[in-house]
Amino acid sequence: MSTGVHVPEYQQDCELVAGEELARSPAFWLVHVLMAMGKYEEPAERYGVDAAEFDGVVDRLSDPEEPWPVFRVGCGGGHTVHAVYANWKDGSSVDFFVRHPAWGRLGHLGQCGADAAGPGLAWTELLALAGGVPEGGEGLTDPSERLLLLLPLLGDADLPGEARDTVARALAHCGIRAEAAGDLAAVLLAGQDPVSGPRWSVADGSPVAVCSSPYSPRRVPLALGIPADRAEALAAVLGGPRPAA
């Protein structure tokens, strides 16, 4: 893994490298969903992943002496979602943001770690980004991998009944033991409360949905301040309009 990644708006004193080679291993996907979603106590062997390989991925993703791994999801129209494993001497986080080279800013989706912020995506947006693979793009191009990478951002009171099966299929596709993938999907979606969970809507002034959670960076429209035509393009990438709030 040696390909450098340059994100000029990501103001951190660090070296960024493309992390997609790590995504070839089922151990990475198990580490990612468990670590980023705070479910780290789950045993690796239960899901068909070697414990030593699991521990090796944990060490790489949390090593402050190594360049920070970046995982990219190209979304069409020049938009790219980034997930950065940010590691300092005194702590780590996973930073999620969307970027377009014409914006001059980042659209912050959320953060996993000690200073967690989220959610950053509704279920329909997660599916739109997972399935919206552009031709010739960089980063992850497999819809199941894209879905699992962005799954820690999910927060939606209106989760459909098929969500568990959708996540389970993605886990199995990425190498998690099929017999255990459904149970793991249930663990990962357990916090989605249909009564008090976050709700998403589009209000006047922006076509980009906002989130009801007080802890979400999307309490305001994503990439607030970009021109109207670029906001429309971003909303299209995220799956189109929703009913007004």
Side-chain angles (χ1 to χ4, degrees):
M1 185 173 62
S2 59
T3 303
V5 176
H6 181 54
V7 184
E9 302 89 352
Y10 188 65
Q11 300 297 326
Q12 303 286 353
D13 185 17
C14 62
E15 179 184 356
L16 303 178
V17 293
E20 285 84 15
E21 287 186 13
L22 289 169
R24 298 174 183 174
S25 165
F28 168 78
W29 292 111
L30 186 60
V31 170
H32 176 69
V33 294
L34 294 183
M35 184 187 302
M37 301 183 75
K39 311 290 185 180
Y40 188 65
E41 69 278 3
E42 292 292 310
E45 293 90 342
R46 178 182 178 186
Y47 301 108
V49 172
D50 179 76
E53 186 177 359
F54 181 93
D55 291 342
V57 174
V58 171
D59 290 343
R60 173 61 190 95
L61 292 179
S62 58
D63 189 346
E65 302 297 331
E66 292 286 340
W68 294 0
V70 182
F71 301 85
R72 296 160 295 173
V73 172
C75 307
H79 303 84
T80 305
V81 175
H82 296 72
V84 180
Y85 271 81
N87 299 305
W88 297 271
K89 295 290 186 181
D90 57 352
S92 301
S93 67
V94 188
D95 301 336
F96 293 89
F97 52 84
V98 62
R99 177 181 186 268
H100 191 286
W103 289 352
R105 70 190 71 188
L106 300 177
H108 291 281
L109 291 166
Q111 183 182 80
C112 300
D115 297 319
L121 291 175
W123 175 254
T124 55
E125 295 176 336
L126 175 63
L127 293 186
L129 293 176
V133 183
E135 292 186 9
E138 294 182 317
L140 300 175
T141 57
D142 183 277
S144 292
E145 294 179 350
R146 291 158 65 99
L147 186 145
L148 295 184
L149 183 76
L150 302 178
L151 186 63
L153 294 170
L154 176 66
D156 198 332
D158 297 321
L159 209 62
E162 67 270 15
R164 177 180 178 274
D165 289 343
T166 300
V167 174
R169 285 193 298 271
L171 289 165
H173 178 82
C174 291
I176 303 303
R177 188 164 63 87
E179 294 80 2
D183 290 342
L184 179 56
V187 168
L188 299 176
L189 295 176
Q192 306 296 325
D193 191 330
V195 177
S196 60
R199 298 191 181 276
W200 297 82
S201 61
V202 172
D204 293 338
S206 173
V208 180
V210 294
C211 180
S212 66
S213 171
Y215 306 107
S216 174
R218 294 191 60 189
R219 287 280 290 178
V220 298
L222 188 61
L224 182 66
I226 60 176
D229 60 335
R230 292 176 183 158
E232 292 282 357
L234 176 58
V237 163
L238 293 170
R242 290 169 183 76

